[in-house]
Amino acid sequence: MTAKTNKQLHSSSTTATSPTTAPISPQYELQQISTLKRESTITSNSAKGGHNSFGMTSTTHGEKVSTASIDRNRWCFCSLRVSTIAILVTMFTTMLLIFVAVIAAILVTSFNDLERSDANATSKRFLKAVGDELKSFYKISVTYSSWNDMNNNLLNYRKTFTDEQMDSFMEAYFNPFILKSTNTDFVVVYSTNGSIVRSRVFQRDIDVSSTDINLVPNTFRNLPQFLINNSKNPFYKFGGFIRNNIDGKLILFNISPVTPTVVATETIPTGMFLEGRYLDTTLLLDLAKTVQSCVSTHIWSDTGDAISNKFRDSLTNYRSKVAIPQLDDKSSWFNFDVFATGILSQEELDHRVCWSPTGEANVSSTARFASYELIGDVNGDPLFISRVDTPRDIHYVGLQTLLLAIFLLFGVCIFATVVIIVFIERRILYRVSSLTRRIQDITGTNDAKQRIDLFRKDDDEIGLMVRNINGLLTSLDNLLEEAKEQEVVKKLFQRIATVEETTKNIMNAIKDIVITIGVNGNVLYANTSFYEQFGYSQRDVGNSDENQNNNNNSCLMIGAIFPDILNTLQNTGSTSSLTTTVTGSNTNTITNNYQFNNNNNITISTTTAPVTTNKEDINANIGNIYTHILKELEDNRSHFLKGVTKNHKDTIDFECIITKTYIVLNGVDTIAYVLVGRKMSNRLSSSSLSNTVTEEEEEMLGEFDKMLLDEHERLRFKEFCKNEKSEENILFIESVLEYKALKKPHERMIKQEYILNTFLANATLLNLSDEMFTREVPLIRRGIGQVDLFDNLLIYVETIVCKDTYMRFKQQQTHLMYL
């Protein structure tokens, strides 16, 4: 009999001791009897006057409110459902439109400002590149102008330094390779009166330099007067933009006085050195590559230029903002302010110089955003407008962000609308509608037994209303059923008494002892096998209810039956020392001494004779000790206990399993424990070796079981088996014990598969006989994790180990003890 079976049978038997509790529910019988009587009552009432069980006049078929009419009106425009949904949809739609308008305005404004800011930064990078180009000219010009060779040649020109020598000097230092590498279009050496001494012009189309003075820009064939006025200043350096008088080309130039390498205040320059470059497509392409954009220049005074005409009238007061860079070692190009930005039209995409990663010289696209700056000449007058345009990537990112925000907002609003509508529908509208239909159904059937089901566990107003209606129905039903319940209850308890008697007969018929133990350690019930084997009577057990509720020693305690059950406290932290003694030669008292951690000594005496004491605190501690012991032993595992008979003359070894159950005492569910014990002599009854086991071997088998419970002794035995090359048997026994300790069936099935694959692949691993292997292993393979699945095989292996390995182990221990 398994622990589960004992628990079920005992719960049924103990329940019958209380007249207020029944293990078998009478709802079905009550419902059948009530239905028959209610039908007869309804028929009688209808015949007499048409009053239903609610005390109200029953409605006729024509007067009943049709449920179908309610369903038809659920979706009319006057219904609560439709009006609520319409208001919610309208509200969320309006909110969505407002949010979209606000977010669109904010994002569009923000990304437009960001696009303008990026365009301004790109335009400033362009002017920075122009300034860097001018500074490189400045460094080259200073290198040649502040040079002793250049100064001496001009000082001795046409005196000791001939024209041929000057030409050779210019050819050596201003040949095509040097002019090309320094990005210089022309160099001019002037005398102090402004006349040209020598010049070199680099012709890029044919890659040669020319001495023809006619190729020098007309503006620089004669040095401008304001430059001549500064030719005597050894520290004067000047550069900037200027427009050629003849062809109108824009020129970037730099001019410095020719002086010795070391310049002093009293140094008198011997001439002027000018270096220049046209602001042509080549230079613009280099600048466009630097800023990675498209650039274009528009002459301020060119009336045929659409860009210049577009801004000329609006920039009449802008001249004061034009600055001229002062070039020295510490100066930097001043970044001018962008005066306009805008989107380029298709007509404005011409005459641009663009750089692209693919190497295209021109990039045409309608999606370009431009910024405009006004550049002045060396006199401070407006000279040209620089335009830098970039792709509208920021604009498109802004549009994508706006669309994404709108879609997300739309999704959130739709989701919120659906959630709120579903919430109101499920929590309010649907429940009200269902409540109305349910009330009409109950009214139409005149059945006070029916109830309105709660929607889950509702505690709101609708749930309270449902509970009140159900309370009213219950009150009405109780009035109708009060007279009928007594007869039904009487018949029901007659059936329960029959079931109880059957349960007791089954428990008394088995050979194993079955004991029901209270949480305080007192015996509440025992079967016939217990009385026969231990010599107790039912009077020794006493009244179960009284024993359960009183912590005294006048009842039979489990410690008197199994004294060594108290030894389980040695493995816990509740006590620090434990001794169990039998006092006297002819006494029925077993004394257990406990020393608790607080050093308070308590003596527990369990006896079959009445013992009186007034130590209520000690009795409470005794109950706590037994409660702790029973919790420790309730682990679904076998425990080997030595039982003591009533007269203390005989002891019996038992394999016990303790399980927790619930019983009804005095109308209250109470925790109890069921102990099922099988004598160790009966343990071999199911084994094929039972007829060959002697009394000595049976005693050794009991010692072997106790050894398995002692971890230290078990480890020593395992080491002995390892040395004897027979470790598989003890490993198998440990695995089976672990299997039996598992509480969940699926965990036992996993362990079952492991044991089969590890130890039962063939009969030779455990030295099984062919008969045992062919009989037991197939049964185990078909098992589904039953607790006793390996019991027969476990007994067989334990018997083999006891007869051979364990016997030699005991002999070795005895031999070592005498050494």
Side-chain angles (χ1 to χ4, degrees):
M1 176 181 293
T2 62
K4 182 177 180 182
T5 304
N6 293 331
K7 176 179 177 180
Q8 293 173 343
L9 295 177
H10 184 65
S11 297
S12 299
S13 63
T14 53
T15 303
T17 61
S18 176
T20 60
T21 305
I24 302 177
S25 176
Q27 281 82 0
Y28 179 76
E29 289 81 354
L30 287 170
Q31 184 176 2
Q32 295 299 318
I33 297 174
S34 300
T35 302
L36 293 174
K37 295 187 177 182
R38 182 174 59 254
E39 290 176 354
S40 62
T41 303
I42 293 172
T43 304
S44 176
N45 289 339
S46 300
K48 292 180 180 180
H51 291 277
N52 58 24
S53 59
F54 291 92
M56 300 180 293
T57 303
S58 301
T59 58
T60 63
H61 179 73
E63 294 172 342
K64 291 181 181 179
V65 179
S66 175
T67 305
S69 63
I70 295 178
D71 294 334
R72 287 195 299 269
N73 293 331
R74 288 176 64 186
W75 298 103
C76 67
F77 289 100
C78 60
S79 68
L80 180 62
R81 177 180 280 104
V82 174
S83 59
T84 302
I85 293 176
I87 290 174
L88 289 175
V89 171
T90 303
M91 179 184 67
F92 278 104
T93 302
T94 304
M95 291 174 58
L96 177 63
L97 294 177
I98 294 174
F99 287 157
V100 168
V102 171
I103 290 177
I106 293 174
L107 291 181
V108 168
T109 301
S110 299
F111 280 98
N112 285 343
D113 293 342
L114 184 61
E115 188 175 36
R116 283 192 292 270
S117 176
D118 182 72
N120 291 347
T122 304
S123 185
K124 290 179 182 287
R125 287 200 304 269
F126 170 74
L127 288 183
K128 178 67 168 54
V130 174
D132 292 340
E133 189 71 21
L134 187 61
K135 282 187 177 182
S136 66
F137 268 34
Y138 165 75
K139 292 179 181 179
I140 295 173
S141 176
V142 169
T143 300
Y144 286 108
S145 61
S146 298
W147 186 23
N148 290 332
D149 290 352
M150 177 69 77
N151 182 69
N152 294 333
N153 291 342
L154 284 180
L155 183 64
N156 299 317
Y157 179 60
R158 291 183 179 175
K159 295 178 182 178
T160 60
F161 198 72
T162 62
D163 290 336
E164 289 78 7
Q165 290 176 318
M166 180 61 76
D167 289 338
S168 298
F169 175 79
M170 294 294 291
E171 182 64 25
Y173 292 102
F174 301 104
N175 54 58
F177 176 77
I178 294 178
L179 294 177
K180 182 178 182 180
S181 62
T182 57
N183 292 323
T184 304
D185 287 329
F186 58 88
V187 294
V188 183
V189 180
Y190 297 93
S191 62
T192 54
N193 59 7
S195 61
I196 296 177
V197 178
R198 285 290 185 277
S199 66
R200 282 291 186 277
V201 179
F202 180 61
Q203 296 175 285
R204 294 183 179 274
D205 53 347
I206 59 176
D207 202 20
V208 296
S209 60
S210 175
T211 60
D212 188 359
I213 195 173
N214 294 322
L215 297 178
V216 177
N218 184 65
T219 302
F220 295 112
R221 291 180 187 174
N222 292 300
L223 199 63
Q225 187 61 43
F226 76 93
L227 295 176
I228 296 176
N229 296 336
N230 291 286
S231 62
K232 300 300 183 179
N233 183 0
F235 300 102
Y236 179 75
K237 298 173 181 63
F238 187 75
F241 286 103
I242 196 169
R243 187 184 183 195
N244 193 18
N245 296 333
I246 302 300
D247 54 13
K249 291 182 179 181
L250 296 177
I251 301 174
L252 181 65
F253 75 96
N254 184 77
I255 189 168
S256 303
V258 178
T259 61
T261 303
V262 179
V263 182
T265 306
E266 62 276 7
T267 302
I268 299 176
T270 58
M272 302 289 285
F273 179 80
L274 182 142
E275 184 178 21
R277 182 178 183 182
Y278 292 108
L279 190 60
D280 54 6
T281 303
T282 304
L283 179 56
L284 287 177
L285 184 59
D286 292 340
L287 297 175
K289 183 177 180 181
T290 302
V291 297
Q292 297 185 359
S293 300
C294 296
V295 297
S296 61
T297 57
H298 306 273
I299 305 300
W300 176 260
S301 58
D302 186 2
T303 56
D305 192 301
I307 300 300
S308 298
N309 295 335
K310 179 180 178 181
F311 296 108
R312 188 178 294 110
D313 295 337
S314 61
L315 293 177
T316 53
N317 298 325
Y318 202 79
R319 293 183 57 188
S320 60
K321 296 183 180 180
V322 178
I324 300 175
Q326 300 296 323
L327 294 177
D328 54 32
D329 290 340
K330 298 181 181 181
S331 65
S332 61
W333 181 266
F334 294 101
N335 289 330
F336 301 156
D337 293 331
V338 174
F339 65 83
T341 57
I343 302 172
L344 293 183
S345 62
Q346 188 64 38
E347 293 76 13
E348 295 175 331
L349 295 178
D350 298 331
H351 308 295
R352 295 182 305 145
V353 178
C354 297
W355 175 88
S356 68
T358 59
E360 299 178 9
N362 240 312
V363 177
S364 297
S365 174
T366 56
R368 309 288 292 185
F369 194 81
S371 57
Y372 302 87
E373 289 189 290
L374 181 61
I375 310 299
D377 60 7
V378 292
N379 297 316
D381 297 325
L383 180 59
F384 67 94
I385 296 174
S386 67
R387 184 184 70 184
V388 181
D389 60 89
T390 57
R392 300 199 68 190
D393 295 338
I394 297 178
H395 172 73
Y396 290 127
V397 170
L399 290 179
Q400 294 175 0
T401 304
L402 176 60
L403 292 177
L404 180 60
I406 292 174
F407 283 134
L408 289 176
L409 183 60
F410 181 77
V412 170
C413 289
I414 293 296
F415 177 76
T417 303
V418 172
V419 169
I420 294 178
I421 290 176
V422 171
F423 175 78
I424 294 177
E425 169 68 22
R426 298 299 299 174
R427 292 290 295 171
I428 300 176
L429 301 178
Y430 173 76
R431 295 166 63 197
V432 171
S433 178
S434 300
L435 178 60
T436 303
R437 291 196 302 272
R438 183 61 178 151
I439 292 174
Q440 290 180 342
D441 292 339
I442 296 175
T443 304
T445 58
N446 295 324
D447 186 6
K449 285 291 183 183
Q450 299 187 37
R451 296 293 182 268
I452 301 174
D453 296 332
L454 284 176
F455 300 89
R456 298 175 298 275
K457 295 183 180 179
D458 297 330
D459 296 324
D460 55 8
E461 290 78 1
I462 297 178
L464 180 60
M465 181 172 60
V466 171
R467 290 185 177 88
N468 290 335
I469 295 174
N470 286 336
L472 176 61
L473 293 174
T474 302
S475 298
L476 294 174
D477 184 47
N478 290 336
L479 293 176
L480 297 174
E481 298 297 330
E482 184 176 357
K484 310 166 191 175
E485 288 183 353
Q486 295 299 327
E487 185 65 24
V488 174
V489 170
K490 181 179 179 180
K491 294 180 180 180
L492 183 60
F493 275 101
Q494 289 177 353
R495 294 174 57 190
I496 292 175
T498 303
V499 173
E500 179 189 11
E501 186 65 25
T502 303
T503 303
K504 287 184 177 180
N505 291 336
I506 294 174
M507 295 179 66
N508 290 330
I510 64 176
K511 295 181 179 179
D512 297 337
I513 65 170
V514 179
I515 307 174
T516 302
I517 310 167
V519 293
N520 296 325
N522 51 324
V523 177
L524 303 177
Y525 170 81
N527 67 344
T528 304
S529 179
F530 167 76
Y531 295 131
E532 293 176 351
Q533 297 184 45
F534 282 85
Y536 290 99
S537 64
Q538 293 186 2
R539 186 167 52 183
D540 295 324
V541 174
N543 184 276
S544 299
D545 292 2
E546 181 180 356
N547 293 345
Q548 176 68 10
N549 297 321
N550 294 283
N551 292 329
N552 55 60
N553 292 329
S554 62
C555 56
L556 179 61
M557 306 297 288
I558 190 65
I561 303 169
F562 295 105
D564 56 349
I565 196 173
L566 299 171
N567 293 334
T568 56
L569 285 176
Q570 291 177 337
N571 298 325
T572 66
S574 60
T575 63
S576 58
S577 64
L578 169 66
T579 60
T580 302
T581 61
V582 179
T583 61
S585 60
N586 188 16
T587 180
N588 294 332
T589 301
I590 296 178
T591 302
N592 299 282
N593 297 316
Y594 298 92
Q595 182 181 2
F596 289 86
N597 293 333
N598 55 7
N599 295 324
N600 293 327
N601 294 319
I602 295 177
T603 300
I604 301 176
S605 298
T606 57
T607 178
T608 58
V611 178
T612 59
T613 177
N614 295 323
K615 297 181 179 180
E616 296 181 356
D617 54 343
I618 295 180
N619 290 334
N621 287 330
I622 294 173
N624 293 334
I625 292 173
Y626 276 115
T627 300
H628 181 73
I629 292 173
L630 293 172
K631 286 183 179 179
E632 289 289 329
L633 297 178
E634 192 264 320
D635 56 2
N636 204 27
R637 298 179 59 180
S638 297
H639 299 277
F640 300 97
L641 303 176
K642 185 180 294 295
V644 180
T645 59
K646 181 178 179 180
N647 55 13
H648 293 282
K649 292 183 178 180
D650 299 321
T651 59
I652 309 172
D653 292 331
F654 282 89
E655 179 186 7
C656 302
I657 295 178
I658 299 178
T659 57
K660 184 169 68 174
T661 185
Y662 291 89
I663 62 175
V664 177
L665 293 176
N666 295 331
V668 179
D669 288 342
T670 306
I671 297 176
Y673 295 89
V674 176
L675 183 149
V676 179
R678 177 174 295 179
K679 291 177 63 175
M680 295 297 294
S681 59
N682 296 334
R683 192 163 171 261
L684 299 174
S685 61
S686 60
S687 173
S688 62
L689 299 178
S690 59
N691 56 354
T692 62
V693 176
T694 64
E695 211 175 290
E696 181 181 356
E697 291 170 347
E698 182 180 340
E699 182 180 356
M700 184 171 292
L701 184 60
E703 293 180 3
F704 180 76
D705 289 333
K706 291 183 180 180
M707 181 272 296
L708 293 177
L709 299 177
D710 190 329
E711 183 177 359
H712 178 69
E713 287 295 322
R714 188 175 72 253
L715 291 176
R716 292 175 58 189
F717 181 66
K718 283 180 64 176
E719 186 65 25
F720 178 80
C721 293
K722 186 176 181 181
N723 295 332
E724 294 287 325
K725 307 299 183 182
S726 60
E727 191 179 9
E728 293 80 8
N729 290 327
I730 185 62
L731 293 178
F732 168 77
I733 294 172
E734 287 183 337
S735 297
V736 173
L737 294 178
E738 292 173 2
Y739 168 88
K740 294 170 71 67
L742 297 175
K743 294 186 177 182
K744 296 181 179 180
H746 71 276
E747 295 178 350
R748 291 198 295 269
M749 291 180 69
I750 295 174
K751 190 68 174 179
Q752 170 187 342
E753 189 68 22
Y754 167 77
I755 295 173
L756 283 169
N757 295 334
T758 306
F759 302 103
L760 302 178
N762 53 70
T764 58
L765 292 176
L766 298 178
N767 294 324
L768 302 178
S769 65
D770 293 340
E771 178 186 357
M772 176 62 70
F773 185 82
T774 55
R775 185 180 72 237
E776 295 295 332
V777 173
L779 295 176
I780 294 173
R781 293 191 184 277
R782 291 194 297 270
I784 53 173
Q786 298 93 328
V787 177
D788 58 351
L789 187 61
F790 291 92
D791 282 1
N792 290 339
L793 201 58
L794 177 62
I795 295 173
Y796 183 89
V797 174
E798 284 184 348
T799 305
I800 293 176
V801 173
C802 285
K803 285 185 174 183
D804 182 21
T805 311
Y806 185 66
M807 186 176 296
R808 287 186 281 107
F809 172 73
K810 293 288 291 182
Q811 293 173 355
Q812 182 193 62
Q813 299 302 311
T814 304
H815 177 70
L816 292 175
M817 184 174 61
Y818 286 101
L819 287 179

